[in-house]
């Protein structure tokens, strides 16, 4: 391909060496990956008909068995979601980047195509913007000024995400038979991370995101019907079915700890495609920094003793580098066997 000053870093006919993972880290058998649809739960009617499962029951079952589920009829206006996806596409399409694909970040936001989330010097096949979200009114000024409507559109999106995440946590609270409002003063939408995954000449050599667990209570992901998300299920990577109107919800490490491992934080990753561009928005619903995270006393007894030691969330994050790609933090939180 003829290079020019307007070319983007990924507009290549080959995968550069510093994007090629070692053989043990590369995605295997992409053409034969199992297509799998995690449970899709309809939130429109909170009380199902007699003889049918209630949404609370469905959420709890999915969280126990898969650690992932999708929600539809979630109440977030379609325009709000479309506007957020549109403004993020505008952001990633901006031309004011240096040769590495980085927009100078005069403020507190991060934007990169190749400088974070690396392993052994190998970069991920993605571009990423990440910024804090709580308290919303104190964080907006840290966000990009361009596109001009970015701050307004993303703020409106996050207001709706906060409502949905609170609703889902209340349903999980009900399913675990915890005291009503257990998560009310403990959870905040603290971080937004949006990823742009361009087409890749050879997806078998690289990754969009490394295998990892989320350090959150829950993570809400909008992927606009695009594929690429994979979860570890029964010892193999399986593709999560793409539903253009759904939010993917996954259980994070903190909720696994509170549930005393009744709910599962599952390893997941993102693979690339030769022809499809993927744009996603992940929002992490985390505990407040000083919150003590430990198994809920209601779920601990002589037959089911506590599996985790108590820890302030901020100490957990510091100890486990919990906003990087990591796979061992949840195991580190387990009580040592005596």
């Amino acid at each position: 391909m003829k290079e020019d000053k307007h070319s983007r870093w990924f507009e290549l006919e080959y995968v550069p060496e510093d994007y090629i993972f070692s053989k043990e880290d590369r995605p295997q058998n992409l053409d034969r990956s199992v297509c799998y649809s995690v449970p899709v739960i309809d939130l429109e009617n909170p009380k199902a008909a007699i003889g049918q499962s209630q949404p609370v029951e469905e959420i709890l079952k999915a969280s126990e068995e898969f650690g992932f589920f999708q929600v539809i009829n979630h109440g977030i206006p379609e325009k709000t979601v479309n506007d957020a996806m549109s403004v993020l596409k505008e952001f990633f399409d901006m031309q004011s980047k240096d040769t590495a694909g980085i927009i100078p970040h005069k403020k507190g936001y991060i934007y990169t195509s190749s400088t974070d989330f690396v392993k052994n010097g190998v970069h991920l096949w993605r571009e990423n913007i990440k910024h804090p979200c709580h308290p919303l009114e104190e964080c907006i000024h840290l966000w990009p000024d361009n596109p001009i409507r970015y701050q307004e559109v993303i703020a409106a999106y996050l207001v709706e995400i906060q409502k949905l995440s609170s609703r889902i946590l209340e349903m999980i609270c009900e399913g675990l038979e915890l005291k009503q409002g257990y998560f009310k003063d403990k959870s905040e939408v603290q971080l937004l991370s949006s990823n742009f995954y361009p087409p890749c000449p050879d997806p078998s050599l690289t990754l969009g995101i490394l295998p990892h667990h989320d350090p959150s209570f829950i993570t809400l992901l909008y992927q606009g019907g695009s594929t690429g998300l994979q979860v570890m299920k029964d010892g193999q990577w399986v593709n999560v079915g793409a539903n253009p109107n759904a939010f993917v919800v996954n259980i994070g490490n903190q909720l696994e700890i509170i549930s005393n491992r009744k709910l599962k934080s599952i390893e997941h990753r993102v693979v690339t495609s030769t022809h499809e561009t993927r744009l996603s928005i992940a929002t992490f619903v985390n505990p407040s920094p000083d919150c003590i995270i430990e198994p809920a006393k209601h779920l601990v007894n002589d037959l089911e003793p506590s599996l985790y030691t108590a820890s302030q969330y901020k100490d957990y994050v510091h100890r486990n580098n919990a906003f990087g790609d990591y796979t061992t933090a949840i195991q580190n939180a387990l009580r040592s066997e005596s």
Side-chain angles (χ1 to χ4, degrees), residues 161-171 187 218 285:
I161 288 292
Q162 181 65 64
K163 294 177 186 176
L164 178 58
S165 65
S166 296
R167 182 181 176 192
I168 290 172
L169 282 174
E170 276 301 304
M171 297 175 83
S187 62
I218 58 174
V285 183

Side-chain angles (χ1 to χ4, degrees), residues 7-9 19 91-92 94-106 109-116 123 126-129:
S7 295
R8 300 177 70 174
W9 64 269
Y19 285 82
F91 180 85
F92 288 118
M94 287 172 61
Q95 296 300 315
S96 56
K97 304 170 186 172
D98 64 21
T99 55
I102 300 172
I103 293 178
H105 44 281
K106 297 179 292 184
Y109 64 90
I110 300 170
Y111 175 79
T112 176
S113 64
S114 60
T115 57
D116 73 334
H123 303 304
R126 72 163 188 177
E127 295 184 352
N128 171 258
I129 179 172

Side-chain angles (χ1 to χ4, degrees), residues 32 58 106 109 112 129 143 154 213 246 254 286 290 292:
R32 296 192 296 274
E58 293 177 352
K106 297 179 292 184
Y109 64 90
T112 176
I129 179 172
W143 302 353
I154 297 302
H213 301 262
Q254 307 310 306
N286 300 327
D290 295 327
I292 301 295

Side-chain angles (χ1 to χ4, degrees), residues 219-232:
T219 302
L220 278 70
L221 174 75
Y222 186 77
Q223 55 182 357
S226 59
T227 59
L229 176 63
Q230 295 186 333
V231 302
M232 180 60 72

Side-chain angles (χ1 to χ4, degrees), residues 110-327:
I110 300 170
Y111 175 79
T112 176
S113 64
S114 60
T115 57
D116 73 334
F117 289 78
V118 299
K119 183 175 182 180
N120 298 327
V122 180
H123 303 304
L124 296 174
W125 195 268
R126 72 163 188 177
E127 295 184 352
N128 171 258
I129 179 172
K130 188 184 288 92
H131 56 64
C133 304
H134 182 85
L136 187 58
E137 62 276 8
E138 296 178 15
C139 292
I140 291 179
H141 75 282
L142 298 174
W143 302 353
D145 295 314
N146 289 305
I148 295 174
R149 64 193 188 109
Y150 183 97
Q151 295 180 6
E152 177 186 356
V153 166
I154 297 302
Y157 177 82
L158 288 169
V159 167
E160 296 296 333
I161 288 292
Q162 181 65 64
K163 294 177 186 176
L164 178 58
S165 65
S166 296
R167 182 181 176 192
I168 290 172
L169 282 174
E170 276 301 304
M171 297 175 83
I172 290 173
C173 180
E174 181 180 343
L176 291 173
E177 298 182 350
L178 299 177
K179 183 179 178 181
Q180 187 176 9
Y182 184 92
F183 296 105
K184 185 175 181 180
D185 298 322
K186 296 183 175 71
S187 62
E188 304 161 349
V189 179
Q190 289 189 351
L191 186 73
L192 177 144
S193 181
S194 178
N195 290 298
F196 167 77
Y197 306 97
C200 176
D202 188 347
S204 69
L205 299 177
T206 190
L207 282 167
I209 291 183
L210 288 163
H212 67 285
H213 301 262
D214 287 353
S216 54
F217 274 144
I218 58 174
T219 302
L220 278 70
L221 174 75
Y222 186 77
Q223 55 182 357
S226 59
T227 59
L229 176 63
Q230 295 186 333
V231 302
M232 180 60 72
K233 174 66 174 170
D234 299 329
Q236 64 178 331
W237 290 107
V238 298
N239 299 312
V240 174
N243 186 323
N245 300 312
F247 278 87
V248 178
V249 182
N250 67 277
I251 303 300
N253 290 356
Q254 307 310 306
L255 197 49
E256 177 172 317
I257 292 171
I258 286 175
S259 71
N260 206 29
R261 228 182 200 177
K262 186 177 180 67
L263 311 184
K264 305 299 190 298
S265 175
I266 300 297
E267 194 173 30
H268 52 286
R269 69 181 186 183
V270 173
V271 297
T272 60
S273 168
T274 55
H275 55 82
E276 183 179 26
T277 297
R278 174 182 168 87
L279 177 63
S280 66
I281 316 174
T283 43
F284 298 87
V285 183
N286 300 327
S288 55
D290 295 327
C291 184
I292 301 295
I293 302 298
E294 61 184 334
K297 292 179 173 52
H298 170 76
L299 301 175
V300 175
N301 52 53
D302 291 340
L303 296 178
E304 297 179 305
S306 175
L307 297 174
Y308 302 90
T309 56
S311 175
Q312 278 191 321
Y313 180 63
K314 62 183 178 183
D315 292 336
Y316 175 91
V317 170
H318 176 73
R319 185 168 62 250
N320 296 296
N321 185 27
F323 287 105
D325 278 350
Y326 67 102
T327 59

